[in-house]
Amino acid sequence: MKLTTTRLTHLHQLPTGVRELLSRNIPRAACARLLPLTSRRQFADVTQQRRNLTTQQLDSGRDERERVVILGSGWAGYTIARELDPKKYQAVVVSPRSYFAFTPLLASTSVGTLEFRTALEPIRTRRSDISFFQGWADSVDFKNGKIAVEEAVADPSSSRALTQDRHAGQTKEERKEEKRVEAKKGKLFDLTYDKLVVTVGCYSQTFGTPGVKEHAYFLKDVGDARRIRSRLLACFEAAALPTTTDDMRRHLLNFAVVGGGPTGIEFSAELHDIIREDLARIYPELVPFSKITVYDVATKVLPMFDEKLGKYAMEIFKREGIDIKTSHHVEGLWPGAPGESPGDHSAFTLKVKEEGELGVGMVVWSTGLMSNPFVANALDEVRELPHTFERLAAAPEDSQTSNPQQWRVKKDAKSSSILTDPQLRMKLVGDGKNKPEGILNDVYAIGDCAILEGSSYPATAQVASQKASWLAKRLNKGDLDRAAGFTFKNIGVMAYIGNWNALFQGGEGGNISGRLAWVIWRGAYLTKSVSWRNKILIPIYWMINWIFGRDISRF
Amino acid sequence: MKLTTTRLTHLHQLPTGVRELLSRNIPRAACARLLPLTSRRQFADVTQQRRNLTTQQLDSGRDERERVVILGSGWAGYTIARELDPKKYQAVVVSPRSYFAFTPLLASTSVGTLEFRTALEPIRTRRSDISFFQGWADSVDFKNGKIAVEEAVADPSSSRALTQDRHAGQTKEERKEEKRVEAKKGKLFDLTYDKLVVTVGCYSQTFGTPGVKEHAYFLKDVGDARRIRSRLLACFEAAALPTTTDDMRRHLLNFAVVGGGPTGIEFSAELHDIIREDLARIYPELVPFSKITVYDVATKVLPMFDEKLGKYAMEIFKREGIDIKTSHHVEGLWPGAPGESPGDHSAFTLKVKEEGELGVGMVVWSTGLMSNPFVANALDEVRELPHTFERLAAAPEDSQTSNPQQWRVKKDAKSSSILTDPQLRMKLVGDGKNKPEGILNDVYAIGDCAILEGSSYPATAQVASQKASWLAKRLNKGDLDRAAGFTFKNIGVMAYIGNWNALFQGGEGGNISGRLAWVIWRGAYLTKSVSWRNKILIPIYWMINWIFGRDISRF
């Protein structure tokens, strides 16, 4: 059996017949003969169809190929999984999500400008060679090239923004005991790799603001977008009840966005669009109660755009009535309108340092990244070095100590992100007084969880996918060692600012704003969207929703 | 104020300013002047746009029109709401669901052949004149033409099949006390009507089979379809884990459908299609473990079709490997595979009288209707007769008793459905020894909750929408009293049986089966789907999914 899936469990718990079945490369015709008659008849035509793509087949078909295990299915992970040459590498994605989310379109899906699935690409498809296990990477054994995976098939958190460690509050011993139980149940299993690509991304940072984790709406994943869409429409429906007071209407229809980055700004713009274009016609008497405010602690929003574009955006927002409140500090969030006990679908209270307690219908939190607990915990101490470890020449051996050198994954002091060399290989640092350094030649880290040491590339989809493409190309060519390191080519930043206006700031300095930038914005995302399915569906939804309005059914 | 929304509460609890604001017909320009500056700027263009459609405007614009309150938004309720002449009637829909579900397409959405929203039409739209409150009808005061509504904006059960009374287990006194609290909170309010149309439908009947309510998957509403889609794909993903045993694979991928009516049969066909066309390519090694079985207590399935078509369907199913087990009795369902304790996403155990305990991944329950608790409870005793009551001549007054005559809503002995006269008006029956009868001239009952007394029309969408259209036409013309009663015109029955085959049995006796019937099936549902939006999206999804396969992302 080539996919070594060692179960961390006792022998009597081993899956009956799985290894036997997997290890033999039984001809398909013979296989069919072993099956019950019904199943055979039912799918006889199919098992002979097309190439077969999943674990069992990949295992026997692995041949000379190296297995590249990719942790995560975001911009970095999904890009490299697709771009690795399947003739040379067996790509195995391990992710709690069964899909890749095209994040720039999430804000559109959160108000129904696009349908949710147009922003998703399933990892498994009829046409791809990518193998997939739905699970969380739990720990890494660098020495033996092996990761432990905690399965996540039914994990309800897997389509939502993550704000804290799943195992937070557990002591190391408790977690160890839990892992024993999980292994016994088949919830935890080992997976070997030849190369490991860490693209686990970041969690959402709430800066310890009380109530935000529990009551704010995030916008990092499609489950978040679905919650926002449902809540937004429920706020209007609740405000339309004859028993709702005007005060409560004002609370329910007061929408606060915390964070003035592209996500927060684009969401505000989309929210303004659905209110102006659809809800104003469906609930005309409620629209005067509605309000959108963007809060940011910084002195300006959209810091990545130059002054002229920023000013243009502010003017558009002012004209549209969206309030931008910079240098404002959110201090807390709790259910129930100000001074009231929480009701069934009542408003929330948002406490802002500069404004006091405000009644709000929904707070969308779109600021802050937090180090992934996997990076913090699993990627820390390296107990035994693998043979792929390469010590960098810089520092001499600590000869005065008798203890063997202890190595840790080198991390950025501020963000705790993994540091890599220009070849995107994970760096290690020793605990000797000379702080010796080394790299793992078979472990790479890209995406929001990693920083190329010495660079100042932003944590964006563009950087993540460029790194992933670069690494895939190098691995496909086999010239990583000889290649010059990765460099980022800024192809520009864009933001939708509502009412068919956008900002575009080219990498080379060209600035465009307004309707033309909007056309570029739509064109770019349409071109970049991955599958033909979505390239067709996205413009159809743009048109259908422009003609008929967005759907407001809630379920 | 014309929309009388009496709150069942103390005066100090009254919504501040709501009545005042609603009661005045303030010119829009003046209204804008009263608003804060931001809101005014934000939506200035919109409030001047188009006609305004919701409560406040409808109230002041009610004029000479009669208010028709429609309880329910299914086939009967949605049809009549759309077809009433808005010049003559103010249609107000009260329903726990914010949309109408086009039920014949739910089976397609449950496997992703169509996207969920293509089977939905929101009650509120930019173009309709229908007013809407999201709530449950709670009780009726026939004498004063008033219903009490329990709001349901955030009710999570409202997009799912209902299997029991929301207030089950409460005594009359407990419910009375709860209503007092709800009224205080604004969760309960009164709504007056001139005419009342009861179209509340039925609940799902589980015949007291242990565990079915809790663990079976139903297919009556779009929330059910979403649960099925998610569970089906999770079963395959769980079966693909390397730690899953072959036995567990067989359990997880064993799908049982209980009920051999059109819903159960069409779901089995769609399930077979997604497995054969998509999952067999994505998880080829798992398909041999999968199995579909339809159970029915009757001796045959699809009883509404004649023998030849039924036989044809059985042959197709046999060829496709779907097992049809008639005269089988389901006795229980519980989580955990046979003999095992329930795990995280483990299988269920289905107990069948004729087969014993079976491991299953999902049981789809598509049999049985139960009387709606609103019909059972609220529509029982009529304490005081309204002036619209009309005593039928049949029986003489009970002169010998001094008690005033007590009247009840007349119901069918077997199904407990409301009985109506041929004009679809609700019948009452007195408790005197002569069983005197009467009708309420302003209360109508149509759809699955009602039976035209003496008829044997089936509880189908076709009967419900024909009754609704007939009633709307009569009310629009104002000739209900003079009109001949409603008669049902059977325009045929259809069922999809998988692999591009269908059955069609015309009302006049013409039978078609196979590919041609499938074309008719698709054509009919496309023609009957309500909005242009869906008429466009449905064929697009048929085509996209035929070319690229169904989407298997789960979120």
Side-chain angles (χ1 to χ4, degrees):
Chain A
M1 190 171 108
K2 286 182 184 168
L3 176 73
T4 317
T5 50
T6 323
R7 285 190 92 213
L8 312 170
T9 176
H10 303 297
L11 258 174
H12 72 271
Q13 289 279 345
L14 275 175
T16 353
V18 170
R19 281 152 187 280
E20 288 69 17
L21 193 69
L22 293 180
S23 62
R24 281 182 261 147
N25 192 2
I26 306 170
R28 219 164 296 140
C31 209
R33 249 175 279 126
L34 296 169
L35 301 172
L37 199 64
T38 348
S39 318
R40 235 159 78 199
R41 250 183 291 126
Q42 193 161 358
F43 302 106
D45 50 339
V46 182
T47 45
Q48 286 151 27
Q49 261 175 14
R50 301 170 57 96
R51 63 189 192 287
N52 292 332
L53 304 163
T54 44
T55 325
Q56 186 185 342
Q57 283 75 12
L58 280 174
D59 286 343
S60 29
R62 186 179 166 189
D63 298 329
E64 305 296 295
R65 303 188 298 168
E66 287 195 327
R67 172 173 299 143
V68 182
V69 171
I70 298 152
L71 307 182
S73 59
W75 280 96
Y78 186 63
T79 305
I80 193 166
R82 283 164 46 88
E83 296 186 3
L84 279 178
D85 182 352
K87 290 198 202 75
K88 283 187 152 175
Y89 298 101
Q90 179 181 48
V92 182
V93 172
V94 173
S95 170
R97 304 186 300 179
S98 63
Y99 52 82
F100 158 70
F102 192 86
T103 46
L105 294 181
L106 285 181
S108 293
T109 67
S110 73
V111 303
T113 308
L114 289 174
E115 208 37 67
F116 299 118
R117 284 171 198 271
T118 61
L120 301 186
E121 302 289 344
I123 311 293
R124 297 183 187 266
T125 70
R126 306 201 300 200
R127 273 163 292 274
S128 89
D129 281 291
I130 305 168
S131 193
F132 172 68
F133 292 113
Q134 189 164 13
W136 305 93
D138 191 83
S139 58
V140 189
D141 173 354
F142 292 109
K143 167 82 174 165
N144 299 302
K146 203 161 74 174
I147 60 157
V149 177
E150 193 184 356
E151 68 89 1
V153 171
D155 190 333
S157 74
S158 70
S159 68
R160 306 253 306 260
L162 298 162
T163 54
Q164 64 179 6
D165 189 353
R166 302 188 308 299
H167 304 296
Q170 282 181 323
T171 63
K172 274 201 170 172
E173 281 62 41
E174 284 167 350
R175 176 64 191 138
K176 213 169 157 186
E177 177 52 32
E178 191 185 52
K179 279 169 83 162
R180 233 196 316 273
V181 175
E182 285 181 348
K184 223 169 172 172
K185 279 190 187 164
K187 276 184 69 66
L188 199 71
F189 58 92
D190 273 2
L191 186 64
T192 58
Y193 64 81
D194 298 305
K195 294 186 190 307
L196 181 68
V197 186
V198 180
T199 72
V200 294
C202 284
Y203 279 32
S204 291
Q205 175 65 273
T206 61
F207 308 104
T209 319
V212 170
K213 259 178 208 165
E214 299 80 7
H215 306 297
Y217 289 73
F218 296 83
L219 190 45
K220 270 204 85 172
D221 205 338
V222 68
D224 300 321
R226 183 162 65 190
R227 284 185 76 222
I228 290 177
R229 186 170 182 184
S230 175
R231 173 68 187 170
L232 166 67
L233 298 169
C235 282
F236 272 84
E237 199 59 57
L241 288 172
T243 49
T244 302
T245 65
D246 276 9
D247 278 347
M248 186 53 91
R249 285 188 175 130
R250 245 180 294 277
H251 297 329
L252 283 171
L253 305 184
N254 187 14
F255 302 106
V257 178
V258 182
T263 306
I265 292 296
E266 290 198 335
F267 172 73
S268 314
E270 293 275 1
L271 178 57
H272 179 268
D273 282 358
I274 186 180
I275 293 177
R276 193 182 57 87
E277 294 168 9
D278 298 293
L279 302 177
R281 298 177 189 180
I282 293 168
Y283 305 93
E285 81 288 9
L286 293 180
V287 161
F289 295 102
S290 101
K291 189 161 169 21
I292 304 170
T293 312
V294 179
Y295 293 95
D296 204 308
V297 288
T299 53
K300 66 172 199 165
V301 298
L302 294 176
M304 60 290 295
F305 289 93
D306 72 17
E307 205 176 323
K308 210 179 131 202
L309 286 180
K311 224 175 135 189
Y312 175 82
M314 289 310 95
E315 269 164 32
I316 292 278
F317 272 38
K318 208 173 171 185
R319 201 189 312 155
E320 288 171 350
I322 300 175
D323 262 359
I324 305 280
K325 299 198 172 168
T326 50
S327 306
H328 275 63
H329 302 77
V330 170
E331 296 186 325
L333 177 65
W334 57 90
E340 285 185 23
S341 59
D344 277 321
H345 49 75
S346 72
F348 296 93
T349 298
L350 178 70
K351 193 175 169 203
V352 179
K353 193 178 158 195
E354 290 75 10
E355 296 182 306
E357 298 183 1
L358 311 166
V360 290
M362 171 166 62
V363 173
V364 174
W365 190 268
S366 61
T367 181
L369 293 179
M370 185 180 100
S371 177
N372 190 309
F374 173 77
V375 172
N377 306 331
L379 296 185
D380 198 20
E381 199 176 314
V382 178
R383 272 161 304 178
E384 289 183 273
L385 290 174
H387 66 95
T388 58
F389 174 74
E390 187 181 316
R391 194 183 169 103
L392 297 177
E397 196 84 40
D398 283 321
S399 48
Q400 54 272 68
T401 167
S402 59
N403 291 338
Q405 179 70 68
Q406 265 302 320
W407 294 88
R408 298 181 171 278
V409 174
K410 194 174 183 191
K411 294 181 190 169
D412 181 58
K414 195 169 153 244
S415 66
S416 303
S417 298
I418 302 160
L419 290 175
T420 72
D421 72 356
Q423 274 69 33
L424 310 181
R425 292 172 294 203
M426 196 185 273
K427 289 195 78 168
L428 299 187
V429 60
D431 62 0
K433 77 170 201 286
N434 296 318
K435 295 281 170 216
E437 297 196 346
I439 50 159
L440 291 178
N441 265 307
D442 55 351
V443 182
Y444 313 89
I446 51 183
D448 289 357
C449 68
I451 292 180
L452 195 168
E453 193 172 23
S455 78
S456 57
Y457 303 145
T460 62
Q462 207 175 109
V463 172
S465 60
Q466 282 188 25
K467 279 185 175 177
S469 288
W470 182 89
L471 185 58
K473 198 179 280 174
R474 296 282 73 79
L475 294 178
N476 290 344
K477 287 204 176 170
D479 65 355
L480 189 73
D481 287 328
R482 304 181 299 279
F486 169 80
T487 50
F488 172 59
K489 189 179 174 320
N490 180 8
I491 54 172
V493 281
M494 297 190 292
Y496 178 60
I497 53 171
N499 202 13
W500 300 23
N501 287 297
L503 309 177
F504 173 73
Q505 179 173 301
E508 310 294 311
N511 289 349
I512 304 169
S513 58
R515 199 58 51 97
L516 178 60
W518 174 80
V519 172
I520 295 173
W521 184 89
R522 284 209 158 174
Y525 287 147
L526 190 54
T527 322
K528 276 161 100 192
S529 76
V530 181
S531 60
W532 275 104
R533 179 194 180 85
N534 282 335
K535 277 191 211 299
I536 296 168
L537 280 174
I538 289 169
I540 287 172
Y541 271 106
W542 278 337
M543 194 155 69
I544 293 262
N545 287 330
W546 174 61
I547 299 171
F548 301 108
R550 295 164 181 87
D551 184 46
I552 61 153
S553 310
R554 270 176 304 125
F555 58 95
Chain B
M1 188 172 107
K2 286 181 184 164
L3 175 72
T4 317
T5 51
T6 323
R7 286 188 94 212
L8 312 170
T9 175
H10 304 300
L11 257 175
H12 71 273
Q13 290 280 348
L14 276 174
T16 356
V18 170
R19 282 152 186 282
E20 289 69 16
L21 192 70
L22 292 181
S23 62
R24 282 183 258 146
N25 192 3
I26 306 170
R28 222 164 294 141
C31 207
R33 249 175 280 128
L34 297 170
L35 300 172
L37 199 65
T38 349
S39 319
R40 234 161 77 200
R41 250 181 294 128
Q42 191 161 1
F43 302 106
D45 49 339
V46 182
T47 45
Q48 285 152 29
Q49 263 175 10
R50 301 169 59 97
R51 65 190 191 286
N52 293 331
L53 305 164
T54 42
T55 325
Q56 185 185 340
Q57 282 75 10
L58 280 173
D59 285 344
S60 29
R62 186 178 164 188
D63 298 328
E64 305 295 297
R65 302 188 298 167
E66 287 194 331
R67 172 172 301 140
V68 181
V69 171
I70 299 152
L71 307 182
S73 59
W75 280 97
Y78 186 62
T79 304
I80 192 167
R82 283 164 46 88
E83 296 187 4
L84 278 177
D85 183 352
K87 291 198 201 77
K88 283 188 152 173
Y89 298 102
Q90 180 181 49
V92 182
V93 172
V94 173
S95 170
R97 305 185 300 178
S98 63
Y99 53 81
F100 159 69
F102 191 87
T103 45
L105 295 180
L106 284 180
S108 292
T109 68
S110 73
V111 302
T113 308
L114 290 173
E115 208 36 67
F116 299 119
R117 285 170 197 272
T118 60
L120 301 185
E121 303 289 345
I123 310 293
R124 296 183 187 269
T125 70
R126 306 201 301 199
R127 273 163 292 273
S128 89
D129 281 290
I130 305 167
S131 191
F132 173 67
F133 293 113
Q134 190 165 11
W136 304 95
D138 191 84
S139 58
V140 189
D141 173 354
F142 292 109
K143 166 82 174 164
N144 299 302
K146 202 161 74 177
I147 60 156
V149 177
E150 193 184 359
E151 67 90 2
V153 170
D155 189 334
S157 73
S158 69
S159 68
R160 306 251 308 260
L162 299 162
T163 53
Q164 63 179 7
D165 190 352
R166 299 190 309 300
H167 304 296
Q170 283 181 323
T171 63
K172 272 199 172 173
E173 280 63 39
E174 285 167 349
R175 176 63 192 139
K176 213 170 157 186
E177 177 51 31
E178 191 186 51
K179 279 170 83 161
R180 234 195 315 272
V181 175
E182 285 181 347
K184 224 169 173 172
K185 280 190 188 165
K187 277 184 71 64
L188 200 71
F189 58 91
D190 273 4
L191 185 65
T192 58
Y193 64 81
D194 298 305
K195 294 187 190 306
L196 181 68
V197 186
V198 180
T199 71
V200 294
C202 283
Y203 279 31
S204 291
Q205 176 66 273
T206 60
F207 308 105
T209 320
V212 170
K213 259 179 209 164
E214 299 81 6
H215 306 298
Y217 290 73
F218 296 84
L219 191 43
K220 268 204 89 171
D221 205 337
V222 68
D224 300 321
R226 183 161 65 188
R227 286 184 75 224
I228 289 177
R229 186 171 181 183
S230 176
R231 173 69 187 169
L232 166 67
L233 298 170
C235 282
F236 272 85
E237 200 59 58
L241 289 172
T243 49
T244 302
T245 63
D246 277 9
D247 278 348
M248 186 52 93
R249 286 190 174 129
R250 245 181 294 277
H251 296 329
L252 283 170
L253 304 184
N254 187 14
F255 302 105
V257 177
V258 181
T263 307
I265 292 296
E266 290 198 338
F267 172 73
S268 313
E270 293 275 0
L271 178 58
H272 180 268
D273 282 359
I274 186 181
I275 295 177
R276 194 181 57 87
E277 293 168 10
D278 299 293
L279 302 176
R281 297 175 190 183
I282 293 168
Y283 304 92
E285 81 287 10
L286 293 181
V287 160
F289 295 102
S290 99
K291 190 161 169 23
I292 305 170
T293 312
V294 179
Y295 292 95
D296 204 307
V297 288
T299 52
K300 66 173 199 166
V301 297
L302 294 175
M304 61 288 296
F305 288 94
D306 72 18
E307 205 175 325
K308 210 178 132 203
L309 286 180
K311 224 174 136 189
Y312 176 82
M314 289 310 96
E315 269 163 34
I316 292 277
F317 271 37
K318 207 171 172 185
R319 202 190 311 156
E320 288 171 350
I322 300 175
D323 262 1
I324 305 279
K325 298 197 172 168
T326 50
S327 307
H328 275 63
H329 302 78
V330 170
E331 296 185 325
L333 177 65
W334 58 90
E340 285 185 24
S341 59
D344 276 322
H345 49 76
S346 71
F348 297 93
T349 298
L350 178 71
K351 193 175 169 204
V352 178
K353 192 177 160 194
E354 290 76 11
E355 296 182 306
E357 298 182 1
L358 311 167
V360 290
M362 172 166 63
V363 172
V364 175
W365 191 267
S366 61
T367 180
L369 293 179
M370 185 180 100
S371 177
N372 191 309
F374 173 78
V375 172
N377 306 331
L379 296 186
D380 197 19
E381 199 177 313
V382 178
R383 270 162 307 178
E384 288 184 274
L385 290 176
H387 66 93
T388 57
F389 174 73
E390 188 182 315
R391 194 184 168 105
L392 297 177
E397 195 85 41
D398 282 323
S399 49
Q400 55 272 66
T401 167
S402 59
N403 291 339
Q405 179 71 67
Q406 265 302 321
W407 293 89
R408 300 181 171 278
V409 174
K410 192 173 184 191
K411 295 182 190 168
D412 180 58
K414 196 168 153 244
S415 65
S416 303
S417 297
I418 303 160
L419 290 175
T420 72
D421 73 355
Q423 274 70 31
L424 311 181
R425 293 173 292 204
M426 195 186 273
K427 288 195 79 168
L428 299 186
V429 59
D431 63 359
K433 77 171 204 289
N434 296 318
K435 295 281 170 212
E437 295 195 349
I439 51 159
L440 292 178
N441 265 308
D442 55 350
V443 182
Y444 313 88
I446 51 184
D448 288 358
C449 68
I451 292 178
L452 195 168
E453 193 172 22
S455 78
S456 56
Y457 303 145
T460 62
Q462 206 175 110
V463 172
S465 60
Q466 281 189 25
K467 277 185 176 176
S469 289
W470 182 89
L471 184 59
K473 198 180 280 174
R474 295 283 75 80
L475 293 177
N476 289 344
K477 287 205 176 170
D479 65 356
L480 188 76
D481 285 330
R482 303 182 300 278
F486 168 80
T487 50
F488 172 59
K489 188 179 174 322
N490 180 10
I491 54 172
V493 283
M494 297 190 292
Y496 179 60
I497 53 171
N499 203 12
W500 301 23
N501 287 297
L503 310 177
F504 174 73
Q505 177 172 302
E508 310 294 311
N511 289 350
I512 304 169
S513 57
R515 200 57 52 93
L516 178 62
W518 173 80
V519 173
I520 295 173
W521 183 87
R522 285 209 157 174
Y525 287 147
L526 189 55
T527 324
K528 275 161 102 190
S529 75
V530 181
S531 62
W532 275 103
R533 178 194 181 83
N534 282 335
K535 278 191 210 297
I536 296 167
L537 280 173
I538 288 169
I540 286 172
Y541 272 106
W542 279 336
M543 195 154 66
I544 293 262
N545 287 330
W546 174 62
I547 298 171
F548 301 108
R550 296 164 180 87
D551 184 45
I552 61 153
S553 310
R554 271 174 304 125
F555 59 94

